[in-house]
Amino acid sequence: MDRQPVNASYHGSMRSRDSSSTGSDAREKIKDCFRKFVAFMFTQVGVGALVVCYAILGAASFMHIEKDNPDEQLQHVRKWRQSCAEELWNITVANNIFNETSWVLKVDKVLKVFQNNITAAVHTGYNGRSPEDIWSFPAALMYSLSVFTMIGYGNIIPKTIWGKIVTIAYACFGIPIYILYFCNMGKVLAQTFKWLYITAHECSRRDDAVFEEGEIIPVKRKITVPSTACLWVISFYILTGTIMFGAWEKWNYLDSTYFCVISLCKIGFGDFVPGANISDSAGGSHLKLVINFIYVLLGMGLVAMCYNLMCEDVRVKVRELKEDLKNCLDDITLKITVCMNDTKHFHQKQSRHVK
Amino acid sequence: MPRRKRRLASRIRAYIRGLLSFLFSNVGVIVLVVAYTIAGAFMFQAIEGESEMERMTHMALERNNTAENLWQNVTLALNLFNETAMKERITIELIHYQKKIVFAVRHGWDGGRSSRQWSFSSAFLYSLTVITTIGYGHLSPRTNWGKVVTILYTLLGMPLFLLYLTNLGELLARWFKCIYALVCHCRGCPGFTKRRAARFRQQLDISDAESIERPPHWKSGYLDSDCTPEYRIPPNARDFQRRPDYFRSASMPQPWERREALPAQPRGWSEPLAFRTDSEGTSEFSYVTFDAQTITVPISVCVCIMVGYIIFGSMLFGMWENWDQLDGAYFCFISLSSIGFGDFVPGERVYTPRIETSFIACSMYLMLGMALVAMCFNLMQVRLYKILKIFVFEVKLLMRLPTRLR
C-alpha cells in the first residue's frame, strides 16, 4: 500500500493565521487549539494514541463480557473428578484389597477415562483457572492486542457467544486502524532512521569536499539505506527482547528468541506468552503483560520501518530478476528454434544428397 | 513460403514465451508455495515426531505413577471403611493428576489418540499456518531444533507467501473484473476486443513484430477468441509500445487509456467495424479498445464475496466438525484474517478416521481464502484510497486547515 502521506501541517495553519487579529476572541483561540489538536490527531503520533486507546477500549469490553461468565467447564471437570473418585471407591470396596495387580488394572482404566475427559476439556479451552482469574485487565489488553495486530496468541480465548461476536466486530474495525498505524509508524520511523543514517554518513565523510570553480561544495550524494542496516536494527531489537524475557520468565535464550520472532512475525502460537502462564499467580504478571504489550507494539513499528525501507530495494531487485529471467527465456526459445531450423536444413541437405 | 514460416516461428516463440512467463509468475508461484509447504511438513514431521513418542510414553508413566500412589497412600494407609476420608485422599490425588494432564496437553501432548499428532497432514497444516502467519498453536515445536527450524522457515516462507498473495490477488482481480464487466455492463470481454482489434489491424497493417497471433483466417475477421485479458491494441500502434504482459498491476489504468472517451451510449458489440470510416478518429479506437481493467468494482461486491466465502466455510466445517454456525463462522473469520487463535481447529475435537482429510481440506480452504482476501484488497484499494483522500480533504476543509490539492 503505497499512499501519499497524510500530513497535516499545522505550521502552515499557524502561518496563515498570523495576520488575523489575536486580540479579541478567546473563542478564536479555542477554535484554533481545537484545529491544531485535530491536525495533530491526523499525524502519526495521533494514530499511535488511537491504537492504544482502541486496545484499552477493547480490553475493558472483553473483560466485562467474559469475566462474569459462569464457566460450565469447571463444573464439568469437578463432576468428572467426583465420578472418578466414586468409581475408584467402588473398585476398592468391591475388590479384594490384597490383589494389587487387578486393582491397579481397573484403576488404570478408570484413570484413562478421566484423562480422556480432561484432555477433551483442555482442547475446548479449559485451562484450570476460573474466568475471573484469567480475564484480568492486562490479560484482556494482551488479548485485544493479539486480535487487532493479527498475532492471535490463543492462550486466552472468548467462550461466550457475545465474546465471539464482539471479537469479530473488533477485528473488522481494529485491523484497518492497525494497518493505518503500521503504515504511518513505518513511514515516520523510516524517515527518522534515514535521517540518522545520513547524518552519521555525512559526519564520517566530512573531509570529502569537491573543488568546483574555486568553491568548496560538499558532495551531495543520494544515500539510500541498505537493507542490511534494517536487518541489524531488527536483530538488535530481538536480542533485547531475548535478554529481557529470558531474565524475567526464566526461559532459556532459544525460547525467548523463538517467542520474539514468532510474535513479531505475527504468527503467535501462544505456547509462550509472558506473564500469562498457568502457574503464574495474578499478582506479579500484570507489569509483565503491559511491558509485553509495549514491546510488541513497538516491534511492529520497527517491522513496518524495515518493510518501508526495504520495499524499494526489493522491488528493484525483483524487477531486475524478472528481466534476467525473461532474457534467459528468450535465449532458450531462440536456441530451440535455431536448433530446429538447423536440423531441418540438415535433413533437406541429406535428402538432396540422396537424390 | 518462407514468410509464413517466419511468421510461424515467431508465433511459436511468442506462444512459448507467453506460456513460460505465465507459468513462472502464477502457476509457478502456487506450485512453489505448495512444494515449500510439503517440504516443511516432511521436515517438521521428522524433527518433532520422535519427541512426540517420548511424551506419549511419559504420560503413560504418569498414569501408572498415579495408580501406584493411590495404591500406596490411600488404600493401604487408611482404614478401608472410612469412605469420606478415602474419597478426599483420592480427590487430592486426582487433582494432582488433572493438573499434570492439563499442563501436558497445553504443552503439546495429544491425549493418546491413536493417530499421531505430527502426521503428514497435520505437519502440512502446521507449515501452512507458519508461512501464512496464522499460527494456530494447537501444534507447536517442542524440540530445540524444531524451534530453530521454525524461525528459519518463517523468514523464508513469509516473503514467498506474500509473493503468492500479490500474484494470485492480481490475477484473480483481473479475472473478476472481466467477469464483472461482462455480467454487469454487457461488454468488455476481451475476446470481442481481439476480434475488433484483428479487423482494425487488417486496416492499419501492423508489422509482424507487434502482433501476437495471426490466425490463418484473419482476413475474414473472425477468430476463435480465448480470453486473454491483457491483450489490447493501443490506439496508434506505431507510437505506443506493446503493454508488457502479466506483470502489470491490473488496477492502475495505463496512461494511454482514455477513460473519458468511453461511450455512454449502449451500443452493442455486433456493430461491425467495417462500417466506420477512418475519419471518426480516436473515439472509435477507444470504443474498440474498451478494457475491463478500467472499471472499479464497488466495495459491497467485495464484502459480499468475503462474507459468502466465510459462510461457505462455516457450513462445510460445521458439518464435518459438529460445530454450530457461529463457531464455524468465527473459525473462518479468525483464520482468514490470519489471527488464528487455535481454539477451533478442524480435526481437534472430533476424532474421526477422516482427520487427515480434514487437515488437507482446511489447508486448501485457507490458501484459497487468503487469495480471495488478496483479490478483494486489490479490487478495493483504489476505491478505498479515493474515499480516504476525499474524507481527509473534507475534514481539512471543515476544520479550515490548509489542504494540499493533488
Side-chain angles (χ1 to χ4, degrees), chain B residues 214-374:
Chain B
R214 198 75 72 88
H217 326 292
W218 67 280
K219 283 200 194 299
S220 71
Y222 294 99
L223 41 94
D224 316 14
S225 65
D226 42 341
C227 203
T228 51
E230 67 289 336
Y231 174 76
R232 269 191 336 99
I233 211 171
N236 191 344
R238 290 183 190 89
D239 292 342
F240 290 90
Q241 63 199 15
R242 203 156 58 96
R243 181 201 286 197
D245 46 5
Y246 296 104
F247 293 126
R248 255 184 68 254
S249 157
S251 51
M252 289 297 150
Q254 294 294 304
W256 59 73
E257 282 167 38
R258 311 249 308 274
R259 270 183 287 163
E260 59 272 14
L262 280 177
Q265 64 274 34
R267 273 191 267 179
W269 280 107
S270 50
E271 278 195 34
L273 186 60
F275 290 145
R276 313 255 180 102
T277 59
D278 275 345
S279 59
E280 278 201 58
T282 46
S283 64
E284 164 194 0
F285 300 158
S286 53
Y287 174 62
V288 167
T289 63
F290 171 73
D291 189 24
Q293 305 306 316
T294 57
I295 60 172
T296 39
V297 179
I299 294 185
S300 49
V301 174
C302 301
V303 170
C304 281
I305 295 175
M306 284 321 303
V307 170
Y309 194 71
I310 288 182
I311 291 179
F312 162 70
S314 100
M315 284 191 330
L316 184 69
F317 289 115
M319 206 170 57
W320 280 359
E321 305 287 329
N322 293 337
W323 296 334
D324 58 348
Q325 292 298 332
L326 176 67
D327 285 343
Y330 170 76
F331 160 73
C332 293
F333 178 80
I334 292 289
S335 306
L336 287 179
S337 58
S338 92
I339 297 178
F341 285 131
D343 46 353
F344 290 92
V345 181
E348 274 293 297
R349 290 196 199 172
V350 178
Y351 173 58
T352 61
R354 216 182 37 217
I355 200 174
E356 309 286 319
T357 44
S358 293
F359 287 138
I360 300 285
C362 183
S363 315
M364 292 195 326
Y365 178 81
L366 287 177
M367 283 183 74
L368 184 60
M370 303 218 101
L372 277 180
V373 170

Side-chain angles (χ1 to χ4, degrees), chain A residues 87-196:
Chain A
E87 281 179 40
L88 288 177
W89 167 251
N90 290 340
I91 293 174
T92 327
V93 162
N95 278 353
N96 185 1
I97 194 71
F98 295 108
N99 194 350
E100 180 177 348
T101 28
S102 79
W103 188 90
V104 165
L105 273 174
K106 294 212 173 101
V107 162
D108 194 70
K109 258 186 254 166
V110 171
L111 282 181
K112 201 149 200 259
V113 167
F114 179 64
Q115 168 190 303
N116 286 341
N117 285 338
I118 300 285
T119 312
V122 176
H123 276 139
T124 58
Y126 171 74
N127 69 352
R129 296 198 293 175
S130 65
E132 288 95 36
D133 263 349
I134 301 175
W135 288 94
S136 60
F137 185 75
L141 198 64
M142 273 309 294
Y143 173 75
S144 323
L145 179 79
S146 73
V147 167
F148 70 73
T149 54
M150 304 186 280
I151 298 178
Y153 282 125
N155 58 337
I156 302 177
I157 44 179
K159 302 243 185 68
T160 57
I161 293 179
W162 271 113
K164 290 175 185 162
I165 295 177
V166 170
T167 302
I168 293 178
Y170 189 74
C172 280
F173 288 111
I175 291 180
I177 292 179
Y178 169 71
I179 291 179
L180 188 68
Y181 162 82
F182 193 79
C183 293
N184 272 336
M185 196 67 159
K187 216 166 293 169
V188 163
L189 286 178
Q191 282 165 1
T192 319
F193 190 64
K194 238 188 245 181
W195 178 80
L196 280 172

Side-chain angles (χ1 to χ4, degrees), chain A residues 64-295:
Chain A
H64 175 73
I65 294 175
E66 289 284 330
K67 203 164 178 144
D68 308 318
N69 177 38
D71 199 2
E72 304 143 5
Q73 275 190 330
L74 283 180
Q75 293 154 7
H76 281 261
V77 167
R78 207 172 298 141
K79 219 175 7 160
W80 286 326
R81 204 166 51 226
Q82 280 168 359
S83 67
C84 188
E86 274 287 331
E87 281 179 40
L88 288 177
W89 167 251
N90 290 340
I91 293 174
T92 327
V93 162
N95 278 353
N96 185 1
I97 194 71
F98 295 108
N99 194 350
E100 180 177 348
T101 28
S102 79
W103 188 90
V104 165
L105 273 174
K106 294 212 173 101
V107 162
D108 194 70
K109 258 186 254 166
V110 171
L111 282 181
K112 201 149 200 259
V113 167
F114 179 64
Q115 168 190 303
N116 286 341
N117 285 338
I118 300 285
T119 312
V122 176
H123 276 139
T124 58
Y126 171 74
N127 69 352
R129 296 198 293 175
S130 65
E132 288 95 36
D133 263 349
I134 301 175
W135 288 94
S136 60
F137 185 75
L141 198 64
M142 273 309 294
Y143 173 75
S144 323
L145 179 79
S146 73
V147 167
F148 70 73
T149 54
M150 304 186 280
I151 298 178
Y153 282 125
N155 58 337
I156 302 177
I157 44 179
K159 302 243 185 68
T160 57
I161 293 179
W162 271 113
K164 290 175 185 162
I165 295 177
V166 170
T167 302
I168 293 178
Y170 189 74
C172 280
F173 288 111
I175 291 180
I177 292 179
Y178 169 71
I179 291 179
L180 188 68
Y181 162 82
F182 193 79
C183 293
N184 272 336
M185 196 67 159
K187 216 166 293 169
V188 163
L189 286 178
Q191 282 165 1
T192 319
F193 190 64
K194 238 188 245 181
W195 178 80
L196 280 172
Y197 187 80
I198 289 177
T199 18
H201 209 257
E202 278 179 4
C203 275
S204 66
R205 300 184 66 114
R206 196 162 292 189
D207 335 306
D208 257 21
V210 170
F211 281 91
E212 263 192 40
E213 301 168 13
E215 293 177 357
I216 299 177
I217 301 173
V219 176
K220 272 257 182 233
R221 268 189 290 258
K222 181 168 166 43
I223 301 173
T224 47
V225 181
S227 312
T228 45
C230 313
L231 292 176
W232 278 117
V233 169
I234 290 278
S235 316
F236 181 69
Y237 195 71
I238 291 181
L239 193 66
T240 316
T242 303
I243 298 176
M244 197 167 67
F245 292 120
W248 279 356
E249 300 285 326
K250 311 281 186 297
W251 297 335
N252 60 18
Y253 287 131
L254 177 64
D255 286 343
S256 306
T257 314
Y258 168 77
F259 163 73
C260 292
V261 172
I262 294 292
S263 294
L264 289 181
C265 290
K266 298 195 302 169
I267 299 178
F269 285 131
D271 46 356
F272 292 96
V273 182
N277 288 330
I278 302 172
S279 46
D280 263 346
S281 66
S285 53
H286 286 197
L287 183 64
K288 289 180 190 167
L289 286 174
V290 171
I291 301 249
N292 189 26
F293 176 81
I294 296 176
Y295 179 81

Side-chain angles (χ1 to χ4, degrees), chain B residues 3-51:
Chain B
R3 182 175 155 86
R4 192 140 45 115
K5 263 203 190 144
R6 198 172 5 119
R7 239 181 274 155
L8 183 72
S10 73
R11 247 182 68 197
I12 289 177
R13 201 183 315 149
Y15 180 70
I16 291 179
R17 191 189 313 149
L19 183 69
L20 278 177
S21 55
F22 181 77
L23 278 181
F24 270 100
S25 66
N26 291 311
V27 176
V29 173
I30 299 178
V31 167
L32 197 59
V33 164
V34 172
Y36 191 72
T37 319
I38 290 179
F42 277 124
M43 239 175 13
F44 287 118
Q45 192 184 8
I47 294 175
E48 293 284 328
E50 293 137 19
S51 78

Side-chain angles (χ1 to χ4, degrees), chain A residues 325-337:
Chain A
L325 201 65
K326 219 180 199 167
N327 293 339
C328 199
L329 287 175
D330 279 344
D331 287 341
I332 290 177
T333 48
L334 197 64
K335 284 208 179 89
I336 289 176
T337 42

